[in-house]
Amino acid sequence: MSAEKKNLDWGNLGFAYIPTDFSYVCNYKNGAWGEGFLTSDHSLQISECAGIFHYCQEVFEGLKAYTTRDGRIVCFRPDLNAERMYASAQRLCMPPFPIDRFIDAVKTVVKANEAWVPPFGSGATLYVRPFMIATGDVIGVKAATEYQFRILVTPVGPYFKGGDTSVKLTISDFDRAAPRGTGNIKAGLNYAMSLYATEAAHHAGYAENLYLDSQTRTFIEETGGANVLFAAADSSLVVPKSATDSILPSITRRSLIVVARDILGMQVVERAVKFEEVQSGAFEECGLCGTAAVISPVAGIEKPEAGISISFPKAANGAGPIMAKLRKTLTDIQTGEAEGPQGWVVEIN
Ligand SMILES: *Cc1c(COP(=O)(O)O)cnc(C)c1O
């Protein structure tokens, strides 16, 4: 049954778009979602007046499909991506794509591109990017009446080439999300407005910005594209919580909390975390979590002009013991090497 794999150098893929055989498309018109279908056309032709171009109605998701040791193709908790995209769409006045149809569409498009799913052990995965845009015309400010839901897939290499790489963060002068704004939904607009700050961080030699809550600039929120975790000296996992609900609900973070608490028997505390605490050395380890890298260890947080220089010596050369254990446990579950909670790993067939 297994399709012949494409002739790619699986071990050396980067994180860049490679068109595959099929994308999935479903259009919304006259108040209803139509039949979804596969297409080999990877471009779109839409009106210059489409809502996406003017008022930025766009939401997206990201998940991965991969091959297990015994040759099955699986993905991880697609139901949570479906639910999150549903909520994101509602927030931007877009018609939510039904949860069950989202999961079916992911299965359909991954199955159709089976030959592009990297083999077990290559470190590479098939990145799955569902997204939705307003295709209907709008000129006055309002929600469009026509939309397209689409899924593209593309094979990608491991996020960090050469394995375990620690990153350094800086504190941005800009904010990522307004209190009670759109920080908790996965929408391109949150990235458009933070690119400037991200480029500034890169230019200064940092991997990412750590954002503080924009209301008080006191509490840890997250980075531009990943949630933050801390390990305390007593080995508990401390997970920052936002007073203004402006942290993106990372599926990796929510899964790691279950792994830590129920599988590793760790104490997990979800609470507001003051940046002051981090500065005072309350935490031994820090990690960034998201689908792409699962956990990236943080070696330090610096802002020389403000006299900020925090280091996490345990992550100087890769993950410290707690982040390493969390990452390994979750990765083993995701790849089918270890048993996880019921329903987390979904087979494509
Ligand atoms: C997607 C995203 C994350 C990570 O979420 P996962 O579901 O774990 O991939 C974190 N922060 C932001 C801002 C994001 O867009």
Side-chain angles (χ1 to χ4, degrees), residues 107-330:
K107 289 180 177 171
T108 300
V109 73
V110 171
K111 178 77 189 154
N113 292 291
E114 200 178 344
W116 295 91
V117 182
F120 178 77
S122 63
T125 56
L126 187 72
Y127 186 72
V128 180
R129 165 55 60 86
F131 62 105
M132 192 200 295
I133 56 169
T135 50
D137 291 342
V138 283
I139 197 74
V141 178
K142 61 177 186 326
T145 55
E146 293 180 11
Y147 294 85
Q148 183 168 105
F149 169 83
R150 201 171 172 104
I151 306 178
L152 71 82
V153 300
T154 191
V156 294
Y159 197 70
F160 292 113
K161 275 257 168 89
D164 197 12
T165 312
S166 299
V167 299
K168 276 192 178 175
L169 311 178
T170 189
I171 307 284
S172 182
D173 290 334
F174 296 97
D175 294 319
R176 187 192 83 91
R180 298 162 294 277
T182 53
N184 60 350
I185 64 164
K186 212 165 174 72
L189 56 88
N190 288 326
Y191 282 81
M193 55 72 73
S194 64
L195 276 178
Y196 186 87
T198 303
E199 298 219 333
H202 290 172
H203 189 71
Y206 299 100
E208 259 285 13
N209 283 303
L210 177 64
Y211 291 99
L212 303 181
D213 78 290
S214 52
Q215 186 154 297
T216 68
R217 294 217 145 216
T218 308
F219 298 101
I220 303 287
E221 290 251 298
E222 63 171 318
T223 65
N227 284 184
V228 181
L229 305 168
F230 294 100
D234 66 358
S235 294
S236 61
L237 185 69
V238 178
V239 184
K241 208 168 155 172
S242 170
T244 49
D245 194 23
S246 38
I247 296 178
L248 194 284
S250 157
I251 293 166
T252 314
R253 183 245 299 166
R254 288 182 276 162
S255 303
L256 285 166
I257 288 171
V258 176
V259 164
R261 194 181 277 149
D262 300 348
I263 299 179
L264 299 175
M266 292 169 62
Q267 198 199 336
V268 180
V269 186
E270 294 180 77
R271 62 168 175 84
V273 174
K274 282 200 163 138
F275 181 55
E276 237 170 55
E277 285 180 72
V278 182
Q279 274 187 292
S280 75
F283 303 116
E284 306 233 303
E285 294 180 47
C286 175
L288 304 183
C289 65
T291 295
V294 181
I295 296 182
S296 313
V298 175
I301 306 168
E302 297 169 4
K303 189 175 174 71
E305 66 274 30
I308 296 168
S309 174
I310 303 162
S311 66
F312 300 98
K314 289 188 170 174
N317 302 297
I322 292 175
M323 295 300 159
K325 194 203 271 181
L326 281 168
R327 184 174 58 193
K328 166 123 178 58
T329 310
L330 183 57

